[in-house]
Amino acid sequence: MEGTVFTPALEGIKHVKSEEGVMLTKPFLDVCKHILPIIEKFGAAMALVKSDIGGNITRLDSKYLSNPTKYTNLYSMVQEEVEAKTAKGSSSCTNGLLWLTRAMDFLLELFRNLLEHGDWAMSQACSDSYSKTLKKWHGWLASSSFTVAMKLAPDRKKFMDVICGSGDINSDIEKFCSTFSPLLEENHKFLASVGMDELKAS
């Protein structure tokens, strides 16, 4: 493949914000969709994460497609739910955006670990990122299923060989983390401003 598995996402990140600096729904979701094939390469260890991310993308995407003009801006669907007092519902778009952002936090942390800790096994890189990101939001059940899944993490070298393609994988991971991270931060800030950044899983 041309470049690395991160190439499409890196290209997509450039279009996430409008000229006025507004976070756009479709380009943001497209970047998240480009991450799915990377998660697939983790195999069974990431099956939970993949279905969770996929489900949240689908939920936000369907809302967007129901009225693309109205929901061009990613936060408009959240504002609408906050005003209607439906934002805390488990099937709300607010909830979808919150968990999608948290799952992306976890993956960024994992990619950073792979860059910064060359001596770590994949399962250690996964567990460390999980404890820094998703763990505090998960209840006991989700947490224990996650811990079991991490034990199925693929061999690190094999994984890196699969994702590097013909490009410089370390440089692309670095670029992806540094350009996507501020967008996730912005989501958290927005969700916090409407009192939705602290929701825990039941």
Side-chain angles (χ1 to χ4, degrees):
M1 68 185 151
E2 254 327 282
T4 69
V5 286
F6 285 95
T7 306
L10 285 169
E11 195 41 51
I13 286 173
K14 299 174 188 164
H15 308 290
V16 170
K17 288 184 125 182
S18 70
E19 285 176 8
E20 297 73 44
V22 172
M23 191 88 74
L24 301 171
T25 308
K26 190 177 182 313
F28 177 78
L29 294 177
D30 285 347
V31 171
C32 297
K33 284 177 193 168
H34 288 314
I35 300 303
L36 288 173
I38 304 172
I39 306 172
E40 215 151 70
K41 308 277 189 271
F42 278 95
M46 289 286 176
L48 277 174
V49 179
K50 184 172 178 280
S51 71
D52 197 49
I53 289 175
N56 287 322
I57 291 174
T58 304
R59 183 187 305 180
L60 294 163
D61 217 11
S62 322
K63 184 72 163 177
Y64 167 72
L65 292 170
S66 72
N67 192 335
T69 319
K70 184 178 179 185
Y71 299 120
T72 301
N73 164 2
L74 183 60
Y75 301 153
S76 58
M77 45 184 93
V78 174
Q79 274 155 333
E80 184 177 75
E81 290 179 342
V82 169
E83 283 158 25
K85 304 214 176 344
T86 55
K88 285 188 173 154
S90 59
S91 59
S92 71
C93 289
T94 306
N95 207 326
L97 179 61
L98 177 63
W99 285 101
L100 179 57
T101 302
R102 285 174 176 172
M104 291 293 159
D105 289 338
F106 161 70
L107 292 170
L108 280 192
E109 199 57 53
L110 173 54
F111 297 143
R112 278 196 195 105
N113 278 344
L114 291 175
L115 271 189
E116 291 164 17
H117 301 281
D119 54 332
W120 283 13
M122 182 64 93
S123 53
Q124 186 180 356
C126 289
S127 304
D128 177 80
S129 4
Y130 178 64
S131 63
K132 283 185 188 154
T133 55
L134 284 169
K135 193 175 184 186
K136 63 179 170 204
W137 306 114
H138 274 170
W140 178 82
L141 191 66
S143 195
S144 39
S145 348
F146 218 90
T147 311
V148 170
M150 291 301 131
K151 293 186 168 56
L152 305 169
D155 173 75
R156 179 191 174 118
K157 186 182 177 314
K158 276 190 196 140
F159 175 77
M160 294 306 271
D161 288 348
V162 166
I163 65 170
C164 73
S166 62
D168 176 347
I169 188 65
N170 287 352
S171 155
D172 274 8
I173 290 178
E174 213 292 307
K175 255 185 250 161
F176 178 72
C177 291
S178 61
T179 51
F180 200 44
S181 179
L183 299 174
L184 297 176
E185 271 301 298
E186 205 166 309
N187 284 355
H188 284 300
K189 273 192 188 131
F190 170 72
L191 288 160
S193 75
V194 292
M196 290 293 161
D197 202 36
E198 299 287 318
L199 293 183
K200 291 195 170 183
S202 45

